[in-house]
Amino acid sequence: MNSIIVLGAIAVGALAVSAAYLMHLLRALPLSRRLLNLLMPASQIAFVVCAFSLRPYFGHWQTMAFSAALMGIACAALNPLFFRTLLAAERADREAERAELLEGQIAAQEHYDLLMRRMHDEADQVRADLDRELAGIEHALATGNTDALQAHLNGATFAVRTPEALRCAHPVVAALLNAKAVWCTDQHIELSISAEVPVDLSTPDVELCALFANALDNAVHAALALPEGERWIRLAAHPAKEYFLLEVENACAPQRPEKPTQRQRTAAPGALPRHGLGLSIMREIAERHDGNLTCTRDGDTFCLSAIWKL
């Protein structure tokens, strides 16, 4: 009997060592992910301990305990192979998420480049209009034509008028919305924005950009599947008591009757498969702040709604 107990102690010790190896192997991951993966060796240890704790209730306890101890030792020997496979899977998930984020950053840079080029063109137009009006003012002064002078003064005032107000008080979100609005204009998409985003919103800027950018990117790509004249997007965002609500509606192509692929089945209804990871990032951010993300489709209208606690 003592030999069986010693064998059980060896099994528990070996499993504990494999658990420590797992924690070391996954040291680059967040603590919550490491603890979640630690449930597997912990359950193996619990199995062995449970087998030995049933001694008072079974007449053939030695056979069961011996089998459990051998299985524990075998698991401890095979665990490193499984743990390395688990690490490769964790790294693949992180690389996929990093690739998606980098792709989003490249797309954002393209949109900002489009915005900058549009602003440069507008600045050139303002400069040309102002030069023309100033030349008219100079000529009117030389000829004493007061009516023409007043007309050119009004034209010069209009040329240097104050730009349109920001789309919301939050400067980062406002810049992002402006960039997306230019993109929509370039793609002939009618964009309607009603955004109330306070400048002191507690949600971090990085998370706000991820939520707004992914929601609008999904909507734009869905709208691009339609012909010009049928493309539209409506965005509404505002705080509601202790929560913040972001809703994006967009026109989308009719659903096809063919059987969806496995990847399409795992994505949100009506969403484009290539944006599944973007939606998962949005859902993770919302749930991190005691909120949720929902996607619904009604005919040719797709609606994404995200709500999170401030």
Side-chain angles (χ1 to χ4, degrees):
M1 181 180 298
N2 289 336
S3 60
I4 295 179
I5 295 177
V6 170
L7 190 64
I10 292 174
V12 172
L15 289 170
V17 171
S18 72
Y21 173 71
L22 175 62
M23 289 292 286
H24 174 74
L25 199 64
L26 304 180
R27 61 187 180 278
L29 298 180
L31 179 61
S32 59
R33 296 289 291 271
R34 282 184 286 164
L35 293 177
L36 183 63
N37 289 313
L38 197 63
L39 290 177
M40 193 195 75
S43 64
Q44 295 170 344
I45 294 174
F47 170 74
V48 175
V49 172
C50 180
F52 278 81
S53 66
L54 295 176
R55 175 181 177 182
Y57 307 102
F58 293 93
H60 299 284
W61 165 82
Q62 292 91 342
T63 302
M64 184 174 62
F66 180 75
S67 300
L70 289 181
M71 290 178 62
I73 293 174
C75 288
L78 295 175
N79 276 349
L81 298 177
F82 174 75
F83 292 162
R84 283 193 281 271
T85 303
L86 181 64
L87 177 62
E90 291 281 0
R91 285 175 174 171
D93 287 343
R94 294 180 64 191
E95 289 301 322
E97 183 175 349
R98 184 178 294 110
E100 179 72 13
L101 290 175
L102 289 175
E103 182 181 341
Q105 290 179 5
I106 292 173
Q109 290 297 331
E110 292 175 350
H111 302 159
Y112 287 132
D113 178 66
L114 181 61
L115 175 62
M116 292 300 104
R117 285 189 280 112
R118 182 67 59 83
M119 292 177 64
H120 182 269
D121 292 342
E122 291 177 354
D124 288 342
Q125 184 62 44
V126 169
R127 188 179 299 108
D129 292 343
L130 187 58
D131 287 343
R132 184 178 63 254
E133 298 298 338
L134 290 177
I137 290 173
E138 184 178 0
H139 179 72
L141 288 173
T143 59
N145 190 337
T146 57
D147 292 337
L149 176 62
Q150 186 61 48
H152 286 298
L153 285 173
N154 293 337
T157 302
F158 182 79
V160 296
R161 67 191 182 281
T162 303
E164 295 181 1
L166 294 176
R167 297 181 182 272
C168 65
H170 197 290
V172 176
V173 176
L176 185 145
L177 292 178
N178 284 337
K180 300 298 182 183
V182 171
W183 184 28
C184 287
T185 301
D186 187 67
Q187 298 298 326
H188 307 284
I189 299 175
E190 181 183 348
L191 176 62
S192 173
I193 296 177
S194 176
E196 181 186 345
V197 188
V199 67
D200 57 349
L201 199 68
S202 59
T203 307
D205 292 352
V206 174
E207 295 181 345
L208 277 177
C209 287
L211 290 164
F212 277 82
N214 278 291
L216 283 171
D217 286 350
N218 286 346
V220 169
H221 284 285
L224 287 176
L226 297 170
E228 293 183 13
E230 299 180 16
R231 304 171 182 174
W232 58 266
I233 298 173
R234 289 193 295 266
L235 180 146
H238 60 86
K241 295 185 179 179
E242 297 180 355
Y243 287 84
F244 192 88
L245 177 64
L246 169 63
E247 288 185 331
V248 178
E249 291 183 329
N250 60 269
C252 56
Q255 287 182 307
R256 295 181 179 179
E258 67 264 23
K259 184 178 180 181
T261 63
Q262 178 63 32
R263 184 171 180 180
Q264 287 173 328
R265 286 196 295 269
T266 59
L272 295 178
R274 71 182 293 271
H275 290 91
L277 186 56
L279 290 175
S280 68
I281 292 174
M282 294 182 65
R283 182 173 288 107
E284 179 183 347
I285 293 174
E287 292 177 351
R288 191 185 307 153
H289 296 281
D290 297 328
N292 61 70
L293 175 75
T294 58
C295 298
T296 58
R297 178 169 183 154
D298 184 10
D300 58 356
T301 299
F302 181 78
C303 180
L304 181 148
S305 177
I307 185 171
W308 63 91
K309 192 172 184 179
L310 297 176

